Each structure stands twice: as C-alpha cells, then as structure tokens.
Amino acid sequence: MKNIGDYVSLAAIQEACETLMPVVHRTSLIESATLNRFSGAHLHLKLENMQRTGSFKLRGAFNKVAHLSDEALSRGVVTASAGNHAQGIAYAAARRGAAARIFMPKQTPKAKIRATVAYGAEVVLAGASYQEAYEAARMDCRTNHSVFVHAFDDNQVIAGQGTVAAEMLAQCSDLNTVLVPIGGGGLAAGTACYLKSVRPSVRVIGVQSDHAPAMYNCFHHENKSANRQTPGIAEGILVDCPGERTVPVIQRYLDDLVTVSDSEIAQAMVLMLERSKLLVEGAGAAALAAVLAGRVDVRGQHAGLIVSGGNADPEELPQIQHMAAESVSKVGTL
C-alpha cells in the first residue's frame, strides 16, 4: 500500500508555497456570525474567490507552468477548462511569455470567457461538457505538438492546490474539519495530502454536485457513471471523469464525500451574498451548502470551508435567486 508521500509529498507542497509566494494572494480566512449561528459551528471561509484570477486554480496552474522548460513553452500551452483553470493558465503563460490556447465547454459563463481572453489566451469553445472540451484539447496538442497542462490530474498542479490548505492551517490552528469542493479532485487531493501529512486528526470532507457525482461514486465504490442530466449551476465541479492521480488519494485519505443539489448550492450562494457580501460561483458555495443542508455535521467544531472561486456570471443571478427561493432546505426557515 502506498504511503501519502508516494502521491504528492509535503515537500512538493512546501516548494509550491515558495514558488507561488510572489504571485498569489494569501487570501483571508473569515468568520460570519450569521453563518456560525445557522450551523452551530465556527465556520472559517477561505476566500479563494478573492484570489488573483478569481479562484484557487491559479495556484496549480502557475506552479505547473513555472516548472516547464523554455523549449516546452516555445511550443505553446494548451488546456481544457470550465473557466477557472483557463484563467490561471492564461495568466501563468503570459508571465512566462508563452502562447496559451484554451478549450472551454460551450456553456461556460461569459464572464469566465471574457476574463480568459483578457489575460491574453486564445479561447476555443468545444463540446457540451468539460470532457468534450478536454478531448478536443488533446487532439489539438497531438496535431500541433503543444504542451498540455491538465486541470487537475498532474502532481505539480495538485501540489499548487495544496497550498490553500497550508495557508488555512497557518491562519487557524484550531481547525477540526475542512470541506473542499470536488470536480476532478485536484484541490481535494492537494488538501488531503497536506493536512494528512501535518495534522492527520483534521477531517477532510469532499463536496460534489449531484449533477456529476463521478468522484462520489468512486469513493463510495458504487458501480455507476456520473449520469449528468443537465449542465447545473456549479460548472466548475461538473467533471465526468476524475483524475487517475486524484482518485487514489481521495479514496484513501478523505474522511467522507457528499453531494449537494443545485437548489442547495443556490441557497448558499444567495446567503453568502446577502449576509457576507460575497459573490461566489456555484462551486465556491458547495462546501457551505453541504453544511447548511446537514450533509456534514460540524456542530461545535472549527470547520474550514474552501470558497473555491468567485467567477459568477451576473446574468445568472435572477435564476439562482429563483432556485434558492424554491429550496425547502432548513436554511429557508431561518
């Protein structure tokens, strides 16, 4: 059986911290009296929605691009992304003077597309899902001999994402539980590798959208596919196929993995906007949704919630408010 260091080592995450120090923001870890009252816990929100490029994805993208050789960069960087990794790659490639070509699903929010282009990347809209955009990007790499940077299934990307957990524990040493949104699993794997190396007693719990529960199915050993019916409002974690590198880490080191619905995510988004003045995207609200919907019991604990991104499309806010109003979860009665 592998040891945790056989996946992504503590040393790799610590090196990523050094690499990223001049680039990323050390985002705040805040509490809200209202959210604490609703949950019966001390909820510590890690505000990666306030990160440069609007999400934690810059960490992994920059760490990977920083390790590419000049020869590799000269061939151009290609990736597939639902939006946040795209902006991280676009920013990192621009910093190193490399061309970036980003494949994104056709339903990607316009705000994410505009931001990616603004960082200097070429955007190609391909397919109805991340998986279809990924396959198109891989084909483009084979044709043009470009360098592909995976959004989550890469050890240097995972190490970069693990720096979020390193900051959280430094900011609050009392953490009992950390909730992390999961799509392909890069952030969750980095979080687990760090916390289980330095503080094994901290529970690490993944949260996935029930529109794309591929990692949930892997974790709970259920023999079924993601079975996505609709795009969903948490496009940042709607991934059909989790990573080959991330699945073993998550299966072994996560303490639990739960799913949340779109209405629960919408309600968490609206609550964060109204009570904490935080505009977050669907994936960024997933951890709070899991707590407020009772999927994870954190009463009496210090729980860290990774607010993974803030690249929400303002045009979708009326729909999100409507979904939240229709929700019958307990938060609506508070």
PDB file of all heavy atoms in Angstrom, residues 208 210 212-227 240 242 247 251 257 259:
ATOM      1  N   GLN A 208     -19.423  17.341  -3.697  1.00  0.00           N
ATOM      2  CA  GLN A 208     -19.581  17.278  -5.143  1.00  0.00           C
ATOM      3  C   GLN A 208     -21.024  17.579  -5.522  1.00  0.00           C
ATOM      4  O   GLN A 208     -21.953  17.319  -4.757  1.00  0.00           O
ATOM      5  CB  GLN A 208     -19.174  15.890  -5.654  1.00  0.00           C
ATOM      6  CG  GLN A 208     -19.077  15.803  -7.170  1.00  0.00           C
ATOM      7  CD  GLN A 208     -18.182  14.666  -7.616  1.00  0.00           C
ATOM      8  OE1 GLN A 208     -18.394  13.521  -7.253  1.00  0.00           O
ATOM      9  NE2 GLN A 208     -17.178  14.979  -8.419  1.00  0.00           N
ATOM     10  N   ASP A 210     -24.491  16.913  -7.284  1.00  0.00           N
ATOM     11  CA  ASP A 210     -25.169  15.668  -7.661  1.00  0.00           C
ATOM     12  C   ASP A 210     -25.466  15.603  -9.162  1.00  0.00           C
ATOM     13  O   ASP A 210     -25.972  14.590  -9.646  1.00  0.00           O
ATOM     14  CB  ASP A 210     -26.442  15.448  -6.835  1.00  0.00           C
ATOM     15  CG  ASP A 210     -27.510  16.519  -7.048  1.00  0.00           C
ATOM     16  OD1 ASP A 210     -27.372  17.368  -7.951  1.00  0.00           O
ATOM     17  OD2 ASP A 210     -28.509  16.513  -6.287  1.00  0.00           O
ATOM     18  N   ALA A 212     -22.967  15.702 -11.293  1.00  0.00           N
ATOM     19  CA  ALA A 212     -21.801  14.993 -11.835  1.00  0.00           C
ATOM     20  C   ALA A 212     -21.059  14.307 -10.697  1.00  0.00           C
ATOM     21  O   ALA A 212     -19.970  14.731 -10.315  1.00  0.00           O
ATOM     22  CB  ALA A 212     -20.884  15.970 -12.571  1.00  0.00           C
ATOM     23  N   PRO A 213     -21.624  13.222 -10.148  1.00  0.00           N
ATOM     24  CA  PRO A 213     -21.053  12.600  -8.944  1.00  0.00           C
ATOM     25  C   PRO A 213     -20.032  11.508  -9.228  1.00  0.00           C
ATOM     26  O   PRO A 213     -20.003  10.490  -8.536  1.00  0.00           O
ATOM     27  CB  PRO A 213     -22.289  12.027  -8.257  1.00  0.00           C
ATOM     28  CG  PRO A 213     -23.170  11.620  -9.403  1.00  0.00           C
ATOM     29  CD  PRO A 213     -22.941  12.653 -10.479  1.00  0.00           C
ATOM     30  N   ALA A 214     -19.180  11.703 -10.224  1.00  0.00           N
ATOM     31  CA  ALA A 214     -18.235  10.640 -10.586  1.00  0.00           C
ATOM     32  C   ALA A 214     -17.298  10.311  -9.436  1.00  0.00           C
ATOM     33  O   ALA A 214     -17.056   9.138  -9.126  1.00  0.00           O
ATOM     34  CB  ALA A 214     -17.438  11.052 -11.829  1.00  0.00           C
ATOM     35  N   MET A 215     -16.732  11.326  -8.787  1.00  0.00           N
ATOM     36  CA  MET A 215     -15.815  11.061  -7.677  1.00  0.00           C
ATOM     37  C   MET A 215     -16.569  10.472  -6.478  1.00  0.00           C
ATOM     38  O   MET A 215     -16.048   9.600  -5.781  1.00  0.00           O
ATOM     39  CB  MET A 215     -15.081  12.338  -7.270  1.00  0.00           C
ATOM     40  CG  MET A 215     -13.966  12.105  -6.279  1.00  0.00           C
ATOM     41  SD  MET A 215     -12.548  11.198  -6.961  1.00  0.00           S
ATOM     42  CE  MET A 215     -11.654  12.557  -7.730  1.00  0.00           C
ATOM     43  N   TYR A 216     -17.771  10.939  -6.245  1.00  0.00           N
ATOM     44  CA  TYR A 216     -18.611  10.364  -5.182  1.00  0.00           C
ATOM     45  C   TYR A 216     -18.803   8.871  -5.419  1.00  0.00           C
ATOM     46  O   TYR A 216     -18.690   8.051  -4.501  1.00  0.00           O
ATOM     47  CB  TYR A 216     -19.955  11.086  -5.159  1.00  0.00           C
ATOM     48  CG  TYR A 216     -20.953  10.536  -4.168  1.00  0.00           C
ATOM     49  CD1 TYR A 216     -21.016  11.028  -2.862  1.00  0.00           C
ATOM     50  CD2 TYR A 216     -21.851   9.529  -4.532  1.00  0.00           C
ATOM     51  CE1 TYR A 216     -21.937  10.520  -1.945  1.00  0.00           C
ATOM     52  CE2 TYR A 216     -22.769   9.020  -3.621  1.00  0.00           C
ATOM     53  CZ  TYR A 216     -22.803   9.519  -2.332  1.00  0.00           C
ATOM     54  OH  TYR A 216     -23.716   9.017  -1.435  1.00  0.00           O
ATOM     55  N   ASN A 217     -19.087   8.505  -6.665  1.00  0.00           N
ATOM     56  CA  ASN A 217     -19.288   7.096  -6.994  1.00  0.00           C
ATOM     57  C   ASN A 217     -18.020   6.282  -6.781  1.00  0.00           C
ATOM     58  O   ASN A 217     -18.060   5.162  -6.274  1.00  0.00           O
ATOM     59  CB  ASN A 217     -19.767   6.969  -8.443  1.00  0.00           C
ATOM     60  CG  ASN A 217     -21.131   7.598  -8.651  1.00  0.00           C
ATOM     61  OD1 ASN A 217     -21.903   7.755  -7.714  1.00  0.00           O
ATOM     62  ND2 ASN A 217     -21.425   7.980  -9.889  1.00  0.00           N
ATOM     63  N   CYS A 218     -16.872   6.862  -7.166  1.00  0.00           N
ATOM     64  CA  CYS A 218     -15.603   6.164  -6.944  1.00  0.00           C
ATOM     65  C   CYS A 218     -15.332   5.982  -5.452  1.00  0.00           C
ATOM     66  O   CYS A 218     -14.924   4.906  -5.013  1.00  0.00           O
ATOM     67  CB  CYS A 218     -14.453   6.943  -7.580  1.00  0.00           C
ATOM     68  SG  CYS A 218     -14.426   6.950  -9.380  1.00  0.00           S
ATOM     69  N   PHE A 219     -15.564   7.022  -4.685  1.00  0.00           N
ATOM     70  CA  PHE A 219     -15.250   6.991  -3.253  1.00  0.00           C
ATOM     71  C   PHE A 219     -16.108   5.973  -2.521  1.00  0.00           C
ATOM     72  O   PHE A 219     -15.628   5.244  -1.644  1.00  0.00           O
ATOM     73  CB  PHE A 219     -15.463   8.382  -2.655  1.00  0.00           C
ATOM     74  CG  PHE A 219     -15.108   8.475  -1.197  1.00  0.00           C
ATOM     75  CD1 PHE A 219     -13.793   8.674  -0.806  1.00  0.00           C
ATOM     76  CD2 PHE A 219     -16.083   8.369  -0.215  1.00  0.00           C
ATOM     77  CE1 PHE A 219     -13.460   8.760   0.538  1.00  0.00           C
ATOM     78  CE2 PHE A 219     -15.762   8.450   1.134  1.00  0.00           C
ATOM     79  CZ  PHE A 219     -14.445   8.649   1.510  1.00  0.00           C
ATOM     80  N   HIS A 220     -17.379   5.911  -2.879  1.00  0.00           N
ATOM     81  CA  HIS A 220     -18.296   5.007  -2.188  1.00  0.00           C
ATOM     82  C   HIS A 220     -18.431   3.656  -2.894  1.00  0.00           C
ATOM     83  O   HIS A 220     -19.318   2.877  -2.565  1.00  0.00           O
ATOM     84  CB  HIS A 220     -19.662   5.679  -2.043  1.00  0.00           C
ATOM     85  CG  HIS A 220     -19.642   6.839  -1.093  1.00  0.00           C
ATOM     86  ND1 HIS A 220     -19.578   6.702   0.271  1.00  0.00           N
ATOM     87  CD2 HIS A 220     -19.653   8.178  -1.333  1.00  0.00           C
ATOM     88  CE1 HIS A 220     -19.562   7.889   0.842  1.00  0.00           C
ATOM     89  NE2 HIS A 220     -19.611   8.810  -0.098  1.00  0.00           N
ATOM     90  N   HIS A 221     -17.568   3.405  -3.875  1.00  0.00           N
ATOM     91  CA  HIS A 221     -17.493   2.118  -4.555  1.00  0.00           C
ATOM     92  C   HIS A 221     -18.818   1.725  -5.219  1.00  0.00           C
ATOM     93  O   HIS A 221     -19.208   0.551  -5.218  1.00  0.00           O
ATOM     94  CB  HIS A 221     -17.053   1.016  -3.585  1.00  0.00           C
ATOM     95  CG  HIS A 221     -15.796   1.360  -2.853  1.00  0.00           C
ATOM     96  ND1 HIS A 221     -14.565   1.417  -3.478  1.00  0.00           N
ATOM     97  CD2 HIS A 221     -15.566   1.687  -1.548  1.00  0.00           C
ATOM     98  CE1 HIS A 221     -13.640   1.753  -2.588  1.00  0.00           C
ATOM     99  NE2 HIS A 221     -14.220   1.925  -1.424  1.00  0.00           N
ATOM    100  N   GLU A 222     -19.498   2.705  -5.767  1.00  0.00           N
ATOM    101  CA  GLU A 222     -20.731   2.416  -6.483  1.00  0.00           C
ATOM    102  C   GLU A 222     -20.411   2.233  -7.965  1.00  0.00           C
ATOM    103  O   GLU A 222     -19.656   2.993  -8.547  1.00  0.00           O
ATOM    104  CB  GLU A 222     -21.742   3.552  -6.297  1.00  0.00           C
ATOM    105  CG  GLU A 222     -22.161   3.722  -4.840  1.00  0.00           C
ATOM    106  CD  GLU A 222     -23.162   4.844  -4.660  1.00  0.00           C
ATOM    107  OE1 GLU A 222     -23.745   5.268  -5.671  1.00  0.00           O
ATOM    108  OE2 GLU A 222     -23.356   5.283  -3.521  1.00  0.00           O
ATOM    109  N   ASN A 223     -21.013   1.247  -8.559  1.00  0.00           N
ATOM    110  CA  ASN A 223     -20.705   0.895  -9.938  1.00  0.00           C
ATOM    111  C   ASN A 223     -21.686   1.577 -10.894  1.00  0.00           C
ATOM    112  O   ASN A 223     -22.556   0.949 -11.479  1.00  0.00           O
ATOM    113  CB  ASN A 223     -20.763  -0.621 -10.128  1.00  0.00           C
ATOM    114  CG  ASN A 223     -20.253  -1.034 -11.497  1.00  0.00           C
ATOM    115  OD1 ASN A 223     -19.520  -0.300 -12.142  1.00  0.00           O
ATOM    116  ND2 ASN A 223     -20.642  -2.230 -11.932  1.00  0.00           N
ATOM    117  N   LYS A 224     -21.537   2.917 -10.998  1.00  0.00           N
ATOM    118  CA  LYS A 224     -22.381   3.656 -11.921  1.00  0.00           C
ATOM    119  C   LYS A 224     -21.652   4.897 -12.393  1.00  0.00           C
ATOM    120  O   LYS A 224     -20.679   5.338 -11.795  1.00  0.00           O
ATOM    121  CB  LYS A 224     -23.708   4.044 -11.253  1.00  0.00           C
ATOM    122  CG  LYS A 224     -23.574   4.907 -10.006  1.00  0.00           C
ATOM    123  CD  LYS A 224     -24.945   5.161  -9.390  1.00  0.00           C
ATOM    124  CE  LYS A 224     -24.825   6.031  -8.138  1.00  0.00           C
ATOM    125  NZ  LYS A 224     -26.115   6.270  -7.504  1.00  0.00           N
ATOM    126  N   SER A 225     -22.131   5.482 -13.492  1.00  0.00           N
ATOM    127  CA  SER A 225     -21.465   6.624 -14.087  1.00  0.00           C
ATOM    128  C   SER A 225     -22.006   7.918 -13.495  1.00  0.00           C
ATOM    129  O   SER A 225     -22.924   7.927 -12.682  1.00  0.00           O
ATOM    130  CB  SER A 225     -21.675   6.626 -15.606  1.00  0.00           C
ATOM    131  OG  SER A 225     -23.055   6.787 -15.895  1.00  0.00           O
ATOM    132  N   ALA A 226     -21.420   9.056 -13.955  1.00  0.00           N
ATOM    133  CA  ALA A 226     -21.844  10.354 -13.446  1.00  0.00           C
ATOM    134  C   ALA A 226     -23.294  10.644 -13.799  1.00  0.00           C
ATOM    135  O   ALA A 226     -24.023  11.236 -13.033  1.00  0.00           O
ATOM    136  CB  ALA A 226     -20.949  11.452 -14.010  1.00  0.00           C
ATOM    137  N   ASN A 227     -23.731  10.232 -14.991  1.00  0.00           N
ATOM    138  CA  ASN A 227     -25.136  10.341 -15.389  1.00  0.00           C
ATOM    139  C   ASN A 227     -25.666  11.764 -15.297  1.00  0.00           C
ATOM    140  O   ASN A 227     -26.708  12.033 -14.705  1.00  0.00           O
ATOM    141  CB  ASN A 227     -26.008   9.413 -14.522  1.00  0.00           C
ATOM    142  CG  ASN A 227     -27.408   9.263 -15.106  1.00  0.00           C
ATOM    143  OD1 ASN A 227     -27.589   9.351 -16.309  1.00  0.00           O
ATOM    144  ND2 ASN A 227     -28.398   9.026 -14.250  1.00  0.00           N
ATOM    145  N   ASP A 240     -16.996  14.729 -15.603  1.00  0.00           N
ATOM    146  CA  ASP A 240     -17.472  13.358 -15.798  1.00  0.00           C
ATOM    147  C   ASP A 240     -16.466  12.307 -15.329  1.00  0.00           C
ATOM    148  O   ASP A 240     -16.847  11.278 -14.794  1.00  0.00           O
ATOM    149  CB  ASP A 240     -17.791  13.116 -17.279  1.00  0.00           C
ATOM    150  CG  ASP A 240     -18.978  13.930 -17.759  1.00  0.00           C
ATOM    151  OD1 ASP A 240     -19.856  14.241 -16.940  1.00  0.00           O
ATOM    152  OD2 ASP A 240     -19.028  14.264 -18.955  1.00  0.00           O
ATOM    153  N   PRO A 242     -13.023  11.749 -13.111  1.00  0.00           N
ATOM    154  CA  PRO A 242     -11.991  12.251 -12.203  1.00  0.00           C
ATOM    155  C   PRO A 242     -10.612  11.748 -12.598  1.00  0.00           C
ATOM    156  O   PRO A 242     -10.471  10.851 -13.437  1.00  0.00           O
ATOM    157  CB  PRO A 242     -12.426  11.700 -10.844  1.00  0.00           C
ATOM    158  CG  PRO A 242     -13.240  10.499 -11.154  1.00  0.00           C
ATOM    159  CD  PRO A 242     -13.925  10.794 -12.463  1.00  0.00           C
ATOM    160  N   VAL A 247      -7.913  10.160  -7.798  1.00  0.00           N
ATOM    161  CA  VAL A 247      -8.813   9.156  -7.218  1.00  0.00           C
ATOM    162  C   VAL A 247      -8.154   8.351  -6.096  1.00  0.00           C
ATOM    163  O   VAL A 247      -8.746   8.203  -5.013  1.00  0.00           O
ATOM    164  CB  VAL A 247      -9.375   8.213  -8.314  1.00  0.00           C
ATOM    165  CG1 VAL A 247     -10.051   7.000  -7.683  1.00  0.00           C
ATOM    166  CG2 VAL A 247     -10.378   8.959  -9.194  1.00  0.00           C
ATOM    167  N   GLN A 251      -9.683   8.352  -2.362  1.00  0.00           N
ATOM    168  CA  GLN A 251     -10.228   7.115  -1.808  1.00  0.00           C
ATOM    169  C   GLN A 251      -9.568   6.752  -0.481  1.00  0.00           C
ATOM    170  O   GLN A 251     -10.213   6.220   0.421  1.00  0.00           O
ATOM    171  CB  GLN A 251     -10.047   5.973  -2.809  1.00  0.00           C
ATOM    172  CG  GLN A 251     -11.012   6.028  -3.987  1.00  0.00           C
ATOM    173  CD  GLN A 251     -10.793   4.882  -4.951  1.00  0.00           C
ATOM    174  OE1 GLN A 251      -9.661   4.459  -5.188  1.00  0.00           O
ATOM    175  NE2 GLN A 251     -11.869   4.382  -5.521  1.00  0.00           N
ATOM    176  N   LEU A 257     -17.233  11.878   1.562  1.00  0.00           N
ATOM    177  CA  LEU A 257     -17.527  12.650   0.358  1.00  0.00           C
ATOM    178  C   LEU A 257     -19.041  12.667   0.199  1.00  0.00           C
ATOM    179  O   LEU A 257     -19.675  11.612   0.232  1.00  0.00           O
ATOM    180  CB  LEU A 257     -16.845  12.025  -0.871  1.00  0.00           C
ATOM    181  CG  LEU A 257     -16.607  12.934  -2.080  1.00  0.00           C
ATOM    182  CD1 LEU A 257     -15.581  12.311  -3.019  1.00  0.00           C
ATOM    183  CD2 LEU A 257     -17.880  13.226  -2.846  1.00  0.00           C
ATOM    184  N   THR A 259     -22.702  14.797  -1.605  1.00  0.00           N
ATOM    185  CA  THR A 259     -23.170  15.575  -2.746  1.00  0.00           C
ATOM    186  C   THR A 259     -24.214  16.596  -2.288  1.00  0.00           C
ATOM    187  O   THR A 259     -24.868  16.423  -1.259  1.00  0.00           O
ATOM    188  CB  THR A 259     -23.800  14.685  -3.836  1.00  0.00           C
ATOM    189  OG1 THR A 259     -24.946  14.012  -3.297  1.00  0.00           O
ATOM    190  CG2 THR A 259     -22.806  13.675  -4.362  1.00  0.00           C
TER     191      THR A 259
END
